[in-house]
Amino acid sequence: MAMIDPETIHDVKGVSVHNVHRHDVIVVGAGLAAMRAAVEASKDYDVAVVSKVFPTRSHSGAAQGGIAASLANEEEDHWEWHMFDTVKGSDYLGDQDAIEILVKEAPIVVREYEHMGAAFSRTPDGRIAQRMFGGHTKNFGKGGPILRACYAADRTGHVLLHTLYENCVKNGVRFYPEFYVLGLIIRDNICRGVVAWDVVNGGVHIFHGKAVMFGTGGHARVYRIASISLSSTGDGQGMVLRAGLPLEDMEFLQFHPTGLYIHGILVSEAARGEGGYLINDAGERFMKKYAPEKMELAPRDVTSRAIQREIDEGRGIGGKDFVHLDLRHLGKDKIMTLLPQIHELAWKFIHVDCVKDPIPIQPTAHYSMGGIPTDSDCRVLGDGKSRPVVGFFAAGECACVSVHGANRLGTNSLLEASLFGRRAGISIVRFLRDEPELADLPTDAAAEAIAEVEGILSSSGTERVAAIRAEIQQRMTVDCAVFRSAGKLSKLLEDVRGLQERYKHIRVDDRGQDFNMDLIDAIELGRMLDLAEVMVSGALGREESRGAHSRTDFPKRDDAKWLKHTLAWKKDGKVVFDYKSVVITRFQPKERVY
Ligand SMILES: Cc1cc2nc3c(=O)[nH]c(=O)nc-3n(C[C@H](O)[C@H](O)[C@H](O)COP(=O)(O)OP(=O)(O)OC[C@H]3O[C@@H](n4cnc5c(N)ncnc54)[C@H](O)[C@@H]3O)c2cc1C
C-alpha cells in the first residue's frame, strides 16, 4: 500500500493544522468511474486517488451481472437499438444527447478493458460472451430480449475494478487509501482541492490540485433494505449540497427487484437473464400480468412494482413480504458455471441451496439515478444547467449526466461509470493542457471541516448515531420506497427534519483520532440526513409517476407538467427547486409498455 511521503507535507501560512498534498489531479473515490478517470489522466499528469475504503473494496467490485455494449458478438445488435432501450427504460427522462454518447462509445470502452487485461467470459469461438438483461431488446423493442451484456461470470465488477487498479499502479497513480474526504474547497467558482480526514492516524489533510474529480458512488444506504455497500452513503452528493451547489433528480432511486429476503443483498438480474422465474404464493409466474411480453426481463421499475403489488395484495409466499426467485430448472451445471456467486450468497446468508430450493427475495434499494449535475464532458454544473465550476468534474453513480433518467437499465451503470470516468479523464487532460494556474488555497480552506470534526468529537449530547441512522433507514424503506404518496411523504419529511434536529445533539464514545469509526459514522449520517431531506422533498414535489418514482395518488406519467429534471439546493436551511428541460433528439416520449 502506498504510504504518505513526508516530503509532501508542508505548512501553509494561515492554515492551522495540516498536511498539504499537491497533485495535478485529485480524484476522490476509487470505484470504476474514479479509477477509469485516473488511468486516463495519469498518462500525462500526476494523479492522486483519495478513497475512504481501499480501492478494490469499492462498491463497483460487488457488481455481478455485466456491462452493456452492442458488440453483436452473439447476435445482430446496433447502438441505435441500445439507445432506444435506454431512452424507453429511462421513462423518457434521460437526456438523449448523453445517451447517444453512452451507447456509441460502449463498444470502445469494453474493448479497451479487454486490452487492459480484463478476463471476460468467452463464446466458444473466443469472443467476449454476452447475456440478456432486463429492458434490453432487439430491433427497437419489436423483438425479444437481446444478448448485450458482456460479463465475467457473475463477478464482472470485481474483474473490472481489479483491472483498473492494476493499470493505475502501472501508471504511477498515487493512492491515499482510508482518507475520508470531508469537503470541497471552491472559491470564486474555481475548485482548488478537497479537505480530508486521515482515518488511520487522525488529522485533517488538504489535497490541493488544479482539477478535482468525484467518483464517490451512490447513496442508497439511506435505506435499511439496500443492496449497496455500507460505505455508499452519498458523501460526494452531500459535499456538493453543502458547497451550495445543486443536485439533480434526487427523487429517482432504483429498487432492484431481487434482494435476498431481509438482508437486501443483491441477487443479480443475471439470474433472470439466464432464465430464472419469479413465483408468488400460488406458484404462479405472476409477471405475465404485468409485462406479458418481457416477463421476468421487464425493466427494474416494472418488475419491482409487480413484486411489491403481489406482496401488498397478500400473494407473497405464505402471505409474507417476499416472493420466490426460482432457478431450479436451470440445473446445477448452469448455476455453478454462470451464477456461482448467487449460489454462494443465498447459501451463506439465508441457507438456501438454489439448485434445490427457490430463493426468497424482495425489492431492495439499489441505485441512485439522481446526483451531481454534469455536462457530457463530466464538468460539474454549478447552476445545474450550463455553468461549469472551473476544475471540478464528476462521473459514475454520484453524477447525473443524465443517461438513466427515471429508471436505469441493468448493465448500463458499469458502462456509465467506466465510459464517463474515461471521458472525465480526457476532459481533465484537455483542461490541464491549457496550463491553468494552481489556484491559491484560501486561509480558511479547512475551517469548516475542522469545525465539523471538532464539534462531533467534543459533543456532549445524548443522541446516538446508530439509533438515528436506524430510524432514517427504516423510515425511508417504508415511506419513500417502491410506492409513494403525499400523505406518507409529508409525514416522512417532518420526521426527517426531526431527525436532523436530534442529530445536532449526538455524542460519540470514541474521542480519539486514530481509526475513529464513531466519527466517520457520525459524519456520514449527517450527509445522509441532508440527502434524505432532498429526496423526500423531491418525491413530494413530483406529482406524477415516472420510472422508479411511483405515486399512488398520481398514478400516471404527466409529460405536460413533469417532462423535466428537478434541481434542488439547500438554501437557508430549506430545500429550493428549479427545473430544466430534458434533451430529446431521436425518440419522442410514448406510452411505455413491455
Ligand atoms: C451488488 C451490486 C451489483 C451491481 N451489479 C451491476 C451490474 O452487473 N452491472 C451494472 O451496470 N451495474 C451494477 N451495479 C451498479 C454499479 O456497480 C455501480 O453503480 C457502479 O459500480 C458505481 O461505480 P462508481 O465508480 O460510481 O462508485 P463506487 O464503485 O461506489 O465507488 C465509490 C468510491 O468513492 C469512495 N468514497 C465515497 N465517499 C468518499 C469520501 N467521503 N471520501 C473518500 N472516498 C469516498 C469510496 O471509497 C469508493 O472508492 C451493481 C451495484 C450493486 C450494489
Side-chain angles (χ1 to χ4, degrees):
M1 188 190 307
M3 298 298 289
I4 296 166
D5 178 359
E7 292 294 314
T8 62
I9 297 178
H10 305 276
D11 277 337
V12 169
K13 215 173 152 208
V15 178
S16 35
V17 205
H18 352 187
N19 307 321
V20 177
H21 311 274
R22 288 206 175 85
H23 297 275
D24 294 330
V25 186
I26 315 290
V27 172
V28 182
L32 292 191
M35 289 210 285
R36 187 62 191 81
V39 165
E40 205 59 38
S42 59
K43 291 175 188 164
D44 297 298
Y45 293 98
D46 162 36
V47 178
V49 166
V50 185
S51 174
K52 69 176 176 179
V53 301
F54 190 78
T56 50
R57 297 279 169 210
S58 302
H59 186 65
S60 291
Q64 303 169 350
I67 174 166
S70 56
L71 292 180
N73 281 356
E74 305 256 12
E75 58 182 328
E76 182 183 354
D77 198 2
H78 304 276
W79 66 259
E80 289 91 341
W81 294 1
H82 188 187
M83 177 162 177
F84 171 83
D85 293 336
T86 305
V87 171
K88 182 176 173 189
S90 81
D91 218 345
Y92 297 92
L93 193 73
D95 285 327
Q96 298 187 16
D97 52 348
I99 296 177
E100 186 160 335
I101 293 172
L102 181 86
V103 296
K104 271 186 178 162
E105 292 182 7
I108 304 174
V109 165
V110 170
R111 288 195 190 105
E112 273 178 357
Y113 268 131
E114 190 186 25
H115 293 182
M116 282 187 221
F120 286 106
S121 296
R122 299 279 161 178
T123 61
D125 64 354
R127 285 178 293 176
I128 295 174
Q130 298 185 274
R131 59 163 54 128
M132 293 174 187
F133 250 79
H136 292 277
T137 66
K138 298 184 187 64
N139 195 15
F140 303 103
K142 292 183 207 103
I146 195 165
L147 297 158
R148 183 178 287 150
C150 311
Y151 60 94
D154 56 0
R155 299 192 175 94
T156 313
H158 176 89
V159 167
L160 300 183
L161 191 68
H162 280 257
T163 302
L164 288 182
Y165 180 63
E166 286 158 10
N167 280 271
C168 281
V169 171
K170 185 176 97 183
N171 287 5
V173 168
R174 178 69 179 275
F175 283 96
Y176 293 88
E178 292 175 310
F179 274 80
Y180 182 97
V181 175
L182 292 159
L184 284 152
I185 309 171
I186 299 175
R187 301 285 189 281
D188 306 323
N189 201 43
I190 300 172
C191 187
R192 298 143 194 257
V194 295
V195 185
W197 178 256
D198 176 352
V199 178
V200 178
N201 305 298
V204 171
H205 292 240
I206 287 181
F207 291 85
H208 186 199
K210 292 180 177 176
V212 170
M213 188 262 176
F214 269 19
T216 48
H219 50 258
R221 261 298 139 196
V222 181
Y223 289 81
R224 180 175 68 84
I225 296 181
S227 67
I228 199 155
S229 64
L230 294 173
S231 60
S232 300
T233 48
D235 305 342
Q237 294 84 311
M239 285 185 258
V240 161
L241 207 57
R242 288 188 183 192
L245 306 174
L247 294 175
E248 182 172 340
D249 289 342
M250 291 294 283
E251 59 271 36
F252 296 103
L253 193 289
Q254 176 168 79
F255 289 82
H256 192 291
T258 56
L260 276 189
Y261 183 48
I262 296 184
H263 299 269
I265 295 169
L266 193 76
V267 180
S268 169
E269 198 169 308
R272 282 170 288 133
E274 297 296 348
Y277 299 152
L278 290 170
I279 307 283
N280 64 14
D281 195 45
E284 176 195 17
R285 275 180 77 188
F286 57 85
M287 283 308 294
K288 64 176 183 270
K289 290 184 287 194
Y290 304 94
E293 278 187 31
K294 302 295 182 290
M295 296 290 287
E296 280 86 355
L297 288 178
R300 290 178 180 171
D301 57 336
V302 175
T303 313
S304 286
R305 275 196 292 277
I307 295 173
Q308 197 60 51
R309 192 145 275 150
E310 292 297 301
I311 292 171
D312 291 349
E313 292 174 4
R315 292 184 295 277
I317 306 297
K320 292 207 188 132
D321 52 347
F322 65 89
V323 296
H324 274 150
L325 172 66
D326 197 347
L327 304 181
R328 289 173 297 182
H329 55 287
L330 301 181
K332 188 171 179 183
D333 281 354
K334 196 165 181 183
I335 291 174
M336 298 316 273
T337 322
L338 294 174
L339 306 166
Q341 194 180 127
I342 287 168
H343 182 267
E344 190 182 334
L345 288 175
W347 180 250
K348 284 195 174 150
F349 285 91
I350 53 173
H351 222 65
V352 167
D353 175 357
C354 65
V355 172
K356 298 194 192 118
D357 295 300
I359 311 175
I361 55 95
Q362 66 187 154
T364 181
H366 183 59
Y367 182 84
S368 316
M369 267 80 71
I372 305 165
T374 69
D375 64 13
S376 52
D377 288 323
C378 308
R379 295 180 297 183
V380 174
L381 301 171
D383 61 353
K385 293 177 180 169
S386 58
R387 183 169 170 254
V389 177
V390 178
F392 187 22
F393 303 80
E397 196 171 336
C398 70
C400 182
V401 45
S402 132
V403 289
H404 309 303
N407 173 62
R408 167 173 82 79
L409 293 188
T411 68
N412 266 354
S413 166
L414 290 185
L415 174 61
E416 181 212 6
S418 309
L419 190 145
F420 284 95
R422 175 181 184 269
R423 284 181 79 85
I426 294 171
S427 195
I428 289 168
V429 167
R430 204 182 303 131
F431 170 70
L432 293 178
R433 287 243 164 89
D434 289 339
E435 302 191 350
E437 297 255 314
L438 180 68
D440 290 341
L441 271 184
T443 48
D444 62 348
E448 207 175 302
I450 293 170
E452 183 175 18
V453 170
E454 280 181 356
I456 293 172
L457 290 180
S458 62
S459 59
S460 56
T462 51
E463 294 288 354
R464 312 302 302 188
V465 168
I468 300 178
R469 187 179 53 218
E471 203 163 327
I472 185 69
Q473 290 175 328
Q474 174 65 12
R475 293 300 315 281
M476 290 294 285
T477 298
V478 174
D479 289 335
C480 191
V482 173
F483 293 111
R484 297 140 178 222
S485 66
K488 285 185 175 177
L489 290 169
S490 324
K491 175 75 181 76
L492 176 57
L493 187 57
E494 244 174 67
D495 295 346
V496 171
R497 295 202 170 121
L499 290 173
Q500 284 172 321
E501 214 29 58
R502 282 173 56 190
Y503 178 77
K504 291 183 187 155
H505 307 287
I506 53 168
R507 66 169 280 136
V508 293
D509 292 329
D510 186 350
R511 310 221 159 200
Q513 300 252 329
D514 47 344
F515 253 115
N516 186 343
M517 296 316 283
D518 256 9
L519 171 68
I520 300 298
D521 286 350
I523 297 170
E524 286 177 346
L525 177 62
R527 310 280 185 275
M528 287 202 283
L529 289 170
D530 287 352
L531 296 179
E533 187 189 9
V534 172
M535 293 164 78
V536 176
S537 306
L540 191 57
R542 188 174 277 273
E543 296 185 331
E544 65 156 355
S545 288
R546 182 185 297 272
H549 172 68
S550 188
R551 289 275 302 252
T552 48
D553 43 355
F554 295 94
K556 291 240 156 25
R557 194 176 82 196
D558 183 350
D559 286 342
K561 279 201 197 139
W562 287 103
L563 184 58
K564 59 187 179 187
H565 297 289
T566 310
L567 296 170
W569 287 256
K570 193 89 194 274
K571 283 186 185 155
D572 305 324
K574 286 204 192 96
V575 181
V576 290
F577 293 108
D578 190 9
Y579 300 94
K580 73 172 171 185
S581 332
V582 177
V583 180
I584 294 173
T585 56
R586 286 169 183 260
F587 301 107
Q588 288 304 317
K590 276 200 210 149
E591 198 195 346
R592 199 165 152 250
V593 270
Y594 286 96

